[in-house]
Amino acid sequence: MAEKVVLAYSGGLDTSVAIKWLKEKYSLDVIAVTIDVGNERDFTAVRQKALDAGAIKALVIDAKELFVKYFIFPALQADAIYEGQYPLGTALSRPLMAKLLVDTALDEDASAIAHGCTGKGNDQVRFEVSINALAPDLKIIAPAREWDMTREETINYAEQHNIPIPITVSSPYSIDECLWGKSIECGALEDPWVEPPEDAYTWTKSPDQAPDKPQYVEIGFEKGIPVSIDGENLDGIALIQQLNEMAGKHGIGRIDHIENRLVGIKSREIYEAPAATVLLQAHQALEAMTLAKDQLRFKQKVAQEYADLIYNGLWFSQLNRDLSTYILSTQRYVTGTVRMKLFKGNSSVVGRKAPKSLYNLSLATYEKGDQFDQSASAGFIHLWGLPIRTQAKVQLLADKEGPLSIMEAKNPGGKIE
Ligand code: ARG
């Protein structure tokens, strides 16, 4: 009997061709595994396509619940956003897929795992680093990195081998979707000067086509996890789906990013992430109410580390464990409700409340009931400014360079009559 390989199967051209190619080149029987992370497809058809292309077995795994609980929500609690722009949908899904591929390979007694990534992207790194960490003895094969065929040659190969060519081949873009967002690249998008054509977007309305009236939505959080929309409790999957739709209608969540890939190149990536955009914003607004200044400052650094770790394929590291322990600890009081206004491509925070809020009206108010002791400020300023006064006397006032050099130029901005 031939040895078996578990293939991460998307239903697209490359992975369909890979089924035959793995048999021809390596004499391996292919078990196709398609993982549903919320990419709304007809999975029955995808499964059938794998069998038609010659897979000996085709499995579809619904991983949405795992994805939300173990990947999306921890990333949301962390406020993980890569380079200030990308909410990391694709990047978060890869370690989960790797885990499920490994489980299947062990169950099915396969000797290898194959994926359809090219040699230029981040996903190959995320898959392989994760698979190697979880099952160091499994071989990894990356057909699209090995076979050296152009897109056209791949289509020819499919035709010659009677592999049904997916209609998606007509799409000029390379697309990856999950609950946390859609990633779009290639085609016209490769020119960073070109505005993304409207057909690149399918999850979001163009902001100028969006409704002329704003929509308000209240999102309830418990310990940093969103649990309700407008007072109605929802499970994570439904909540994210509902927000993707609602915010997408208002044109929210379009992201145009010149991104630094792990493999060293800059690439132009378009994302549609309506739910992620709204939830990250709302979550941060609630943290602003419930975390102290120092906690917020420190957590921002952790958020960046965490985003890099996710992006760079290091999910199964102990650093993840260390950082997520810290992040969870910060979420203890991040409970409350945030009101968002969705309008013409923008979501804005317009209200927030939390039972353990640190915002104290009687300290902040300029109206009656002010409990802030304003007379104490004079002494505070005296001590706060002490190091500056000391330094100015000894160094600054005698120094012609540095912050005082501006004084050298008389009337630097010209005289205003
Ligand atoms: N640049 C993103 C990342 O590395 C998205 C990659 C999306 N892949 C795709 N086939 N379009 O996470």
Side-chain angles (χ1 to χ4, degrees), residues 86 88-92 94 121-123 126 173-176 183-186 259 261 267 269-271 311:
Y86 167 38
L88 294 161
T90 299
L92 281 165
R94 295 318 190 228
N122 299 309
D123 287 333
R126 297 171 185 144
Y173 309 112
S174 160
I175 288 162
D176 183 72
S183 308
I184 312 141
E185 47 191 39
C186 302
E259 181 171 302
R261 282 196 193 167
S267 68
E269 311 271 335
I270 304 298
Y271 300 102
Y311 190 86

Side-chain angles (χ1 to χ4, degrees), residues 271-384:
Y271 300 102
E272 292 183 284
T277 300
V278 172
L279 285 171
L280 283 159
Q281 227 179 334
H283 180 255
Q284 286 169 27
L286 198 56
E287 288 188 326
M289 293 285 277
T290 51
L291 297 186
K293 177 178 167 182
D294 296 344
Q295 286 178 294
L296 281 168
R297 297 291 193 281
F298 190 72
K299 187 164 184 290
Q300 278 167 9
K301 295 182 201 171
V302 175
Q304 195 176 331
E305 284 297 323
Y306 206 59
D308 285 347
L309 172 156
I310 293 167
Y311 190 86
N312 294 338
L314 305 176
W315 184 264
F316 292 107
S317 61
Q318 289 299 323
L319 179 61
N320 182 352
R321 189 178 182 161
D322 299 341
L323 296 181
S324 54
T325 304
Y326 170 77
I327 291 158
L328 257 191
S329 165
T330 63
Q331 299 299 291
R332 209 165 283 143
Y333 303 117
V334 186
T335 294
T337 306
V338 181
R339 190 164 68 252
M340 305 291 294
K341 179 178 177 176
L342 315 179
F343 187 54
K344 296 268 183 212
N346 279 307
S347 60
S348 24
V349 178
V350 292
R352 58 293 253 175
K353 58 181 181 188
K356 298 278 188 205
S357 170
L358 301 173
Y359 178 89
N360 185 332
L361 187 64
S362 52
L363 289 178
T365 185
Y366 284 92
E367 315 272 317
K368 241 174 65 190
D370 182 6
Q371 285 178 7
F372 186 94
D373 179 1
Q374 299 201 31
S375 68
S377 285
F380 166 73
I381 294 165
H382 184 73
L383 290 185
W384 175 251

Side-chain angles (χ1 to χ4, degrees), residues 210-258:
D212 292 321
K213 273 209 343 232
Q215 180 173 3
Y216 290 88
V217 58
E218 289 186 9
I219 302 166
F221 285 87
E222 259 166 42
K223 297 190 175 168
I225 288 177
V227 293
S228 67
I229 291 183
D230 291 330
E232 189 197 339
N233 283 334
L234 291 169
D235 69 67
I237 301 172
L239 185 141
I240 293 169
Q241 282 169 338
Q242 200 166 314
L243 278 177
N244 270 330
E245 209 167 295
M246 190 189 292
K249 252 187 236 156
H250 288 275
I252 291 158
R254 293 185 171 190
I255 298 159
D256 182 343
H257 184 198
I258 298 296

